[in-house]
């Protein structure tokens, strides 16, 4: 074992499990570690520092270990500049390219640490030395790589900061770290999510809702529409099916005498589905259909009316699609990526496909709420590694109504306790954005 | 194919699928059928009649087919008396014993059709010719069979009436026959269940709630307690764990300063669990603990205070158990059997074990509501063949609060629309029982 | 109730449940029926005939009922020609367009019944009176509708034939109709599926495999590759992720010393994923990568080498994508549609998205096998209404190896019992296609 | 914050996550910690030591924190003897009793650390000072507590040793710590479980199989019977239903001509079920039925023939029960407890109820394999905190056949590589026990 390197860790590395994880990695990968220096944070608030030498049998094994340590926040002690290699062709990465985590990351360029912008997983990092205002670094997905891009390769000159355990009570979502369960007090959890939504809203943040068609089927359409109307949802990411079901309720709930409040909705559903799409195509687009008065209720209606942006991504199981649906997967992904980067909080409501697509583009610092009736879906989504995530195995058809009640109720009560306030919630939140 | 028998079917045999099912059985079991007579019900309300000859290769095969046709409501044309054979020993059935379905059944004794009492599946039918008031027939589970019991054997002289499709709107629960889905409008479904509960209550019927510990964990304890207190739940069937969790909330929610409204409940839970049982043992029993003031809230408290009977059945995963828990499975099953036979409507809330135990004892005419987050559980419970069953894949932690709101709200509104009424809902429902 | 129409049903309408279902529809939709004539099939093989008058309060209600009866196989007695209405614009259906089921369907044109080609659900039917060889009718999805297309509207002149219950043993798959269970004998079921695959193959039919990435993760890659190589799989429908995982095993299983037989596969996986795509892009395409020797094992390799066509459909959760992936949803759907139309048997292996996409394009006469660990997925796929479907809730990682063993084993034993045969299985099956 | 205590941790406390977890506990419970001394293990094999002062606002809060730290392996620095308090009555614990974890535990009695015997969760610890051979300590479940038992109370004088991360390759099961997935290579995982079973067997250890009726339904009966016959299963824990289904296959698979290899098994199943129980009751017991030749195949048969002990625990959903079934839950639990304490490896096969019952009685040092089709079941079972646990979400109907093949195959190959060996596998393994 003659191949070794010195790495160091800093921060709340013990209670966050970082140090333990790093030691485990070395052992699992048949390496050795020796701790050279260790300053333990003596109290809740003090940070710790550890420096250790990692040894492996071959240079390849050592590199593999160091790569893993990297992802977990251990950095080489002797910071070199990051190695930059030109991409050999469009959509082709240079050998040894560095593949990102979703944690905050910096790269060292000409002796300075540069924050990598738009962090998300499984990207390359491209450095632009000549950017206005100094060198910039940002993530690029494979299909965005252009020939000649200066791509970070190897492990040198890269710093990753995995999320630390929140100290004290600062993390609203800290209460639920570590697991998904259907046996938590449901109402209390929903109340806390409502509070978090209001807090994000009050701070001028952006709440992105990712929603599947089950939300409409399960009767929660009106409640989501309320949240959009009242200004607590700032963007929607969904599929063609979600929009069609939402619009179908509007078009055929009134025109053909079907009472959407009864359970008598199954028959002829599919014909209405196709018809709805056909009508929207005839109108031109969803905004056109709203403007013409064809559509006058529902989630899409509220989005159009309240200028809440939405992305409708196409998929191979779509009927239609609607003219508003982006059918190219790469183009749709780019639109989703923009939504994800702007979001401060994401609610993923009963859709695996769209939630994974959004989740892929999120840094680990974005708050995430996953709601699904299927525990495997919630687990899969939370495994993506958000630091502040809540998973609820519940029924979206009861969750959204309760959530809307709590969000809007507390909105009302906030107003009423503030006699000076003349502005409603909606304008408040709009103003602060 | 020389072995044949003539069977007949009567009633709404086409739209109920009975005739189709019977034809399918014959074909699946490699027999032949020939329809001798067929009078179709000409309209919605008229019944149909079919008589057909069934033929098979061997007498054994024929008997197997006829046995199956029986279970599906086809009866031999030439009614003989049922064959009665003495049970050879305690807990031993005579050869060829007739094993029951859960459908209403009659046996022919001395030329008369006698209704079989306490119908449930997988039992023997015992005839008591010398019962007071004339011959009686009733089901007996295997372990209740006594030597000499006159047990029905063979297929002769037995009539089974599988449930028919409800005509018109008489069946509140008809709306959901044939399937479990998590994509139905949740709130509307809950509203309809609430209405059914009120209807049963108004008619002086008995609502049995079967509840698992997840109900407590998910925060619905207060809501179920409300329903018990207000008189809408007339019996509870649960396990040791349900009662302990309910009592633990009472004992440790106030005495140790844990706020049950927060989510900070996980730690030390297990110690409290054991402690709770120990305290109840010290007090003597749950009623003793209520009387002494040790327990003053929750589901068990409301049961004791409002004289709502409960059965706590033990299981091998119990801690304790509580002194009130019936630890012998056969004894517990007998107690559950009595509950089941008295119930007009059963709510099965997030427990597979206890729901199956209750479901095993129910005739197909009892209304059943199954609520579970796991679709496989709901499917398994509905497969037991209740004619009027609702399955909901939802979160019991949101279901019970919404249900209680709808049941009690409509209770209030009923009162308020009836200015003459001086009696409250609770006394009304009590009076009518 | 003055609005009425006469409909008739023919075939094995009782044991198939058709008649019962139709009567139920009328009652559920608050109509009345009166049976005018009824000839019951007297035996297993004789068909039945029923004619009944259906009445409703309004013409709209009557039309709704008749529409539903239609879908279930009841047809108006007095066959008129189908009504044809020109599509008002591209991708817009005329008012009252007829929306298809997935059952075999005929439309009446100038007094003749014309079979509708390429049956699939939720399409419009377009009639081309001037087709070579006489008038033709075929389905068109909404986005394929062109202005002026002669689209069938209303209910007149349309005949639907829902699948009948197979008589005797003709239906290999009859054994499992009506339900999904994880409690069936797994090995025996797999054996029967293997036999069905061989039978389709022997008859020169086409087996389409729809596969998700879980198949690769769960270790079944080699076994599917075997089935492709030996000629038992004739087309593959998958996503970008499936292909990348398959190729990644090839590229990084040998080049970097990772033993794919160990369980040590998690680390660095994502980097390899991106790298794999980059390498294939560099090579040009999957076939190019096979030709150049870069890829020399796995499912995609066997497809290329054995001329088994594949469709890789893109989605918004893809990395990359590969150059071979069709990223436009509409284009991908069209490619899938072609695969579906050619398939005689479809194996859906642990992918909901792609299985739904394929299932949407299948007529009810295609045999379907759905395998997934999630019972909800299997249920959802079987609900699409294939007449001959097998659903298995099992582990694709054990299912595929067992299936391959049974298919190939019986292939061997077939050969060995036929001393004349000099040709191997592969060439046999190829020859017969 | 004036209430404080000093605790210490020893061992591989960093990479096992112990230290991190302890720091987290203090912070979560609003306490403060200050590290007094810290000696970090400098390399893979060296242990670490930490001593810290924990402070809280009130003594009650401090005690709560120290209690939690205890469970995670942090012990007070100044070891006092454990406090012993006499139980005030049968089945009643003294105030402040210590509730056990499932980790190895010692209590200090008269200055000596005494190992607590029969570790399992949620028990009291009773010290017997006058035991033969010196003082002994052992766990007692609540219902075993007798008046006057000297029960450990408070937190003093107790040491808990949570499992450490296995160093190097010593832990066969280490490969799967931390998660349940249905996307692992199934065959490879099964191979590794087979190797672990053989290793336990070779070492003269005891393999306990906990099995549910789904194992029989899914067709794996013969394969489990093989494993029993060949000596690789040393005890069976199951319910009444498992045994009845197993016996029913034997009784009705041959006597009535039903071919258990076909899928034609559903009909009349329930009657056979009752009949089987009745026949066994007539015979006297399962061993009697084996002796008389009534039963001559299957799992129960092999158990009787090969002297493999079994426990059949009753439940409220049982038919019958069999005479061999223990119907009292407390008595059954005691029988299960004995099985659990003797087991070195436990296979939990598709039964939640019995697996939880067994799991409750296991120390964290017993190897556990959980197999179920339902991920929630596997998660729930693994959460019980075994240090060496494998969870597989797979089909027991394919798992058991593959497992049996691998276990017995490698048994054969081991023999064949050892030409000296004349004894078969079975006698070998018997000899070593």
């Amino acid at each position: 074992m003659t191949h070794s390197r010195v790495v160091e860790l800093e921060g709340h590395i013990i209670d966050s499990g970082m140090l333990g994880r790093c030691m485990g990695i070395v052992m699992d990968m048949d390496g050795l570690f020796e701790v050279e220096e260790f300053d333990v944070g003596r109290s809740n608030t003090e940070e710790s520092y550890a420096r250790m030498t990692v040894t492996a049998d071959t240079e390849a094994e050592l590199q593999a270990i160091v790569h893993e340590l990297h992802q977990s926040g251990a950095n080489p002690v002797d910071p070199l500049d990051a190695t930059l290699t030109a991409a050999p062709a469009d959509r082709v990465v240079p050998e040894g390219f560095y593949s990102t985590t979703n944690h905050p990351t910096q790269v060292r360029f000409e002796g300075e640490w540069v924050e990598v912008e738009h962090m998300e997983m499984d990207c390359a990092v491209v450095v632009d030395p000549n950017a206005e205002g100094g060198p910039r670094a940002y993530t690029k997905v494979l299909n965005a790589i252009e020939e000649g891009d200066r791509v970070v390769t190897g492990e040198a000159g890269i710093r990753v900061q995995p999320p630390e355990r929140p100290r004290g009570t600062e993390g609203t979502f800290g209460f639920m770290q570590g697991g998904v369960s259907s046996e938590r007090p449901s109402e209390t959890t929903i109340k806390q999510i409502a509070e978090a939504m209001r807090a994000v809203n009050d701070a001028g943040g952006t709440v992105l809702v990712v929603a599947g068609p089950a939300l409409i089927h399960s009767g929660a359409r009106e409640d989501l529409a309320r949240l959009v109307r009242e200004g607590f949802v700032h963007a929607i990411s969904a599929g063609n099916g979600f929009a069609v079901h939402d619009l179908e309720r509007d078009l055929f709930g009134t025109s053909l005498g079907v009472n959407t409040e009864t359970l008598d909705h199954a028959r002829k559903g599919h014909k209405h589905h196709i018809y709805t799409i056909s009508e929207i195509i005839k109108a031109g687009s969803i905004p056109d259909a709203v403007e013409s008065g064809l559509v006058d209720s529902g989630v899409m209606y509220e989005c159009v009316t309240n200028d809440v942006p939405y992305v409708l991504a196409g998929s191979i199981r779509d009927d239609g699609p609607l003219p508003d649906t982006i059918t190219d997967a790469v183009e749709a992904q780019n639109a989703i990526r923009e939504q994800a980067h702007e979001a401060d909080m994401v609610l993923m409501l009963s859709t695996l496909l769209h939630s994974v697509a959004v989740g892929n583009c999120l840094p680990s610092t974005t708050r995430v709420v996953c709601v699904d009736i299927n525990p495997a879906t919630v687990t899969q989504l939370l495994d993506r590694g958000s630091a502040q995530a809540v998973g609820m195995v519940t029924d979206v058809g009861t969750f959204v109504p309760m959530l809307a009640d709590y969000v809007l109720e507390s909105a009302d009560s906030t107003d009423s306790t503030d006699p000076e306030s003349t502005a409603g919630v909606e304008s408040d939140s709009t103003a602060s954005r």
Side-chain angles (χ1 to χ4, degrees), chain A residues 68-243:
Chain A
E68 286 303 319
L69 292 180
H70 230 111
Q71 315 283 55
S72 298
N75 298 302
V77 135
D78 41 350
L80 303 171
D81 272 7
T83 312
L84 301 182
T85 311
D90 283 4
R91 296 184 298 136
V92 176
V93 285
E95 212 176 320
F97 84 103
Y98 174 79
S99 176
T100 55
T101 65
N102 61 357
H103 305 311
T105 300
Q106 299 170 312
V107 294
R108 202 163 179 274
F109 180 74
E110 297 184 349
E112 299 293 323
W113 289 103
V114 181
E115 197 72 31
V116 179
E117 301 170 34
H118 295 318
M119 276 316 301
E120 65 177 86
M121 288 192 292
D122 301 331
C123 289
V125 175
V126 171
V127 174
D128 177 358
N130 309 314
E132 226 175 299
R136 285 178 55 200
Y138 40 84
T139 59
K140 265 200 177 185
V141 290
L142 183 62
N143 65 55
I145 296 282
E146 290 168 274
E147 187 177 332
D149 272 351
R150 306 184 65 173
V151 175
V152 174
T153 52
E155 310 282 345
I158 306 165
R159 276 207 308 224
V160 179
Q161 292 165 293
E164 291 181 352
R165 173 177 249 285
R167 322 315 284 179
T169 55
E170 66 192 52
T172 314
F173 277 18
F175 57 92
M176 269 169 182
Q177 288 172 332
V180 175
S181 166
S182 58
E183 299 208 344
R184 281 208 220 87
S186 308
E187 276 201 88
T188 312
T189 307
I190 296 172
K191 238 181 264 185
Q192 296 200 2
I193 294 169
E195 277 160 27
M197 272 182 76
R198 284 198 53 78
V200 169
N201 194 65
D202 289 350
T206 296
V207 174
L208 168 64
V209 167
V210 189
L215 190 147
I216 308 293
H217 299 319
S218 66
R221 172 184 181 256
E222 282 315 311
D223 302 288
L224 180 56
R226 272 200 290 156
L227 285 169
V228 174
R229 186 166 56 239
E230 301 296 335
F232 288 93
V233 172
H234 313 112
I236 298 254
S237 199
N240 184 71
F242 174 84

Side-chain angles (χ1 to χ4, degrees), chain A residues 287 365 375:
Chain A
T365 46

